[in-house]
Amino acid sequence: MIRLLFLISLVSMGCSESSKPSRAAASREYPSSEHIENITKYLLKGDPSEPWVFYNRTNRQLPDGVKRHTVYAFIRKQKGESLLVVGKNKYPRGKSPMVTMQKLQGILDEIYVVRLGAGVENHLLLSKTHFNKEGTVYSVTTFWDLRAAKLKSLWSISSSYDPEYRETYNPPEFHYWDNNDDGIREIILTNSWPDKKKPPRWKDRWAVFRWHLKERVIVPVRGLLLSKYKEQNPLWISFAAVEAGMQRKERLARLLLRSHAICDSTNSMVSKLMFKKWKVIDSPRIVERQAHFARVSMEVKGDKIPYRIVFELSGERDVEIEKWLICHISLFKKKKNL
């Protein structure tokens, strides 16, 4: 009888121990609703003039090295602005619930994590915003990278349309494909061409961009010459100029060049682009960039001889969209093969 009571006592002790919450369960991160409430209160302290209203959050977490964070989106319709907030998973009471934040012009339409590859190091944040200015609606699509507790804009495209004319609404159309079977998907932007009866070569119907994990940059790969967005980035228009030389498209090349007294003559720049039938060796790199000036370097080959092409570009804002044109082109013959 004593033995039986002892066994019953052991069983009841085991049941009571198993019913207690584990230390891991007790240390769970706060529910998302509590995160949102705490972030909203914290934002209100910084600017009480108009409260930020929660819009959405990412279903997947965005990596920052070995750490991962949920990204929250807030909007203020009256001021026509949005806010991306990278929230901390765990934080002491009274401390900031945020890792970092980024204010955006316009109202957010979409926010989600894009997986360009299986590893979390290949995951980026995409945001889409819109705003109205003088009767024209502008839309901006941006890829963001989270590194060292900061959001960095990697790749951005702007478009516009007149809401009174539905035919002017032609937002950028892009997809994600793994063209070279390396496990990393490229960003594929659909091109347009004026003569629908004479479509271009198949591979020129899309502008292709590749994610370079080591440098954490998105670079052009091909098809930029027919992209209507190429003038928005000095890398893109420089790559398009080399493609014009590769395809012997002198008329299209002239559209990329700035005609101005401070620039090289357009004939001189075209002759350099058409000097060889170039083969791209490496992606273009920005050597210098300021508000209205950029210098881009690109490694190429012509007749198996290595060259470096250096572009100097001038930039300006056409209302709310950046526009770059090539002002100087320099050719340097390299002594050793690349």
Side-chain angles (χ1 to χ4, degrees):
M1 183 67 179
I2 295 173
R3 186 178 180 184
L4 180 60
L5 290 172
F6 179 73
L7 289 173
I8 294 172
S9 144
L10 285 177
V11 171
S12 66
M13 284 176 65
C15 290
S16 79
E17 285 295 319
S18 63
S19 64
K20 291 181 181 179
S22 66
R23 182 173 296 180
S27 63
R28 281 181 196 158
E29 60 186 66
Y30 301 120
S32 291
S33 58
E34 189 170 351
H35 274 82
I36 295 166
E37 182 180 350
N38 286 323
I39 292 172
T40 305
K41 289 179 180 178
Y42 191 83
L43 293 173
L44 189 61
K45 291 180 182 178
D47 185 2
S49 60
E50 182 185 343
W52 288 98
V53 178
F54 173 69
Y55 168 70
N56 205 350
R57 65 175 177 268
T58 55
N59 291 327
R60 295 187 175 91
Q61 291 185 317
L62 191 65
D64 183 2
V66 296
K67 298 179 180 179
R68 303 185 193 182
H69 303 283
T70 300
V71 182
Y72 302 87
F74 294 81
I75 61 174
R76 291 200 290 201
K77 290 187 176 181
Q78 295 298 322
K79 292 188 175 181
E81 57 187 11
S82 303
L83 190 71
L84 301 178
V85 174
V86 181
K88 292 179 181 176
N89 293 332
K90 300 173 184 176
Y91 51 90
R93 294 291 184 175
K95 299 293 184 180
S96 170
M98 301 182 298
V99 175
T100 187
M101 61 181 179
Q102 178 70 46
K103 189 179 289 187
L104 307 177
Q105 181 183 13
I107 303 300
L108 269 164
D109 299 311
E110 292 184 54
I111 174 176
Y112 55 89
V113 174
V114 177
R115 297 181 295 172
L116 295 178
V120 294
E121 66 275 9
N122 299 307
H123 296 183
L124 303 174
L125 179 71
L126 183 140
S127 69
K128 291 183 181 180
T129 58
H130 77 274
F131 58 92
N132 191 308
K133 187 167 184 178
E134 299 178 355
T136 300
V137 177
Y138 295 86
S139 178
V140 182
T141 301
T142 306
F143 286 89
W144 303 88
D145 185 28
L146 179 61
R147 270 296 174 272
K150 291 184 179 179
L151 279 172
K152 178 185 176 184
S153 173
L154 298 177
W155 185 97
S156 186
I157 279 183
S158 300
S159 60
S160 63
Y161 66 94
D162 188 334
E164 293 186 2
Y165 300 92
R166 295 181 62 182
E167 63 273 15
T168 64
Y169 180 67
N170 294 298
E173 178 187 342
F174 56 91
H175 315 273
Y176 309 101
W177 301 333
D178 184 4
N179 282 310
N180 54 0
D181 296 324
D182 64 348
I184 305 297
R185 296 192 295 172
E186 287 79 36
I187 301 171
I188 313 296
L189 181 65
T190 303
N191 287 335
S192 59
W193 50 92
D195 191 349
K196 300 301 179 182
K197 295 181 180 179
K198 295 181 180 179
R201 297 179 304 172
W202 183 261
K203 65 179 182 179
D204 294 325
R205 300 181 190 183
W206 294 274
V208 181
F209 302 84
R210 184 167 295 151
W211 166 241
H212 277 197
L213 175 59
K214 186 176 180 180
E215 299 179 27
R216 302 198 71 82
V217 294
I218 297 174
V219 296
V221 175
R222 72 166 189 271
L224 272 292
L225 185 57
L226 294 182
S227 172
K228 62 181 179 180
Y229 305 103
K230 57 182 172 288
E231 295 179 353
Q232 295 186 18
N233 188 300
L235 284 181
W236 304 351
I237 192 170
S238 299
F239 194 96
V242 173
E243 285 189 314
M246 294 166 63
Q247 300 177 27
R248 324 313 289 169
K249 303 287 189 180
E250 182 176 329
R251 182 183 64 82
L252 293 179
R254 290 182 179 275
L255 299 177
L256 313 178
L257 311 176
R258 186 182 181 192
S259 179
H260 195 278
I262 65 171
C263 301
D264 295 340
S265 70
T266 53
N267 288 336
S268 171
M269 289 190 280
V270 167
S271 66
K272 291 175 182 177
L273 291 175
M274 303 295 159
F275 180 60
K276 301 282 186 180
K277 194 171 183 179
W278 306 112
K279 178 182 178 182
V280 176
I281 301 301
D282 199 6
S283 303
R285 296 288 185 268
I286 291 183
V287 179
E288 181 182 355
R289 181 165 182 174
Q290 301 173 15
H292 302 289
F293 172 82
R295 183 179 288 113
V296 174
S297 175
M298 191 167 176
E299 308 294 335
V300 296
K301 275 188 178 181
D303 297 332
K304 299 182 179 180
I305 301 172
Y307 288 84
R308 174 173 293 147
I309 305 181
V310 177
F311 300 91
E312 292 185 7
L313 306 99
S314 62
E316 58 185 19
R317 276 194 172 272
D318 183 5
V319 189
E320 293 297 331
I321 300 177
E322 282 191 28
K323 183 176 181 180
W324 293 86
L325 289 174
I326 299 169
C327 195
H328 299 282
I329 299 177
S330 301
L331 271 178
F332 299 95
K333 186 177 179 180
K334 304 185 72 173
K335 293 182 179 180
K336 295 181 180 180
N337 288 338
L338 296 173

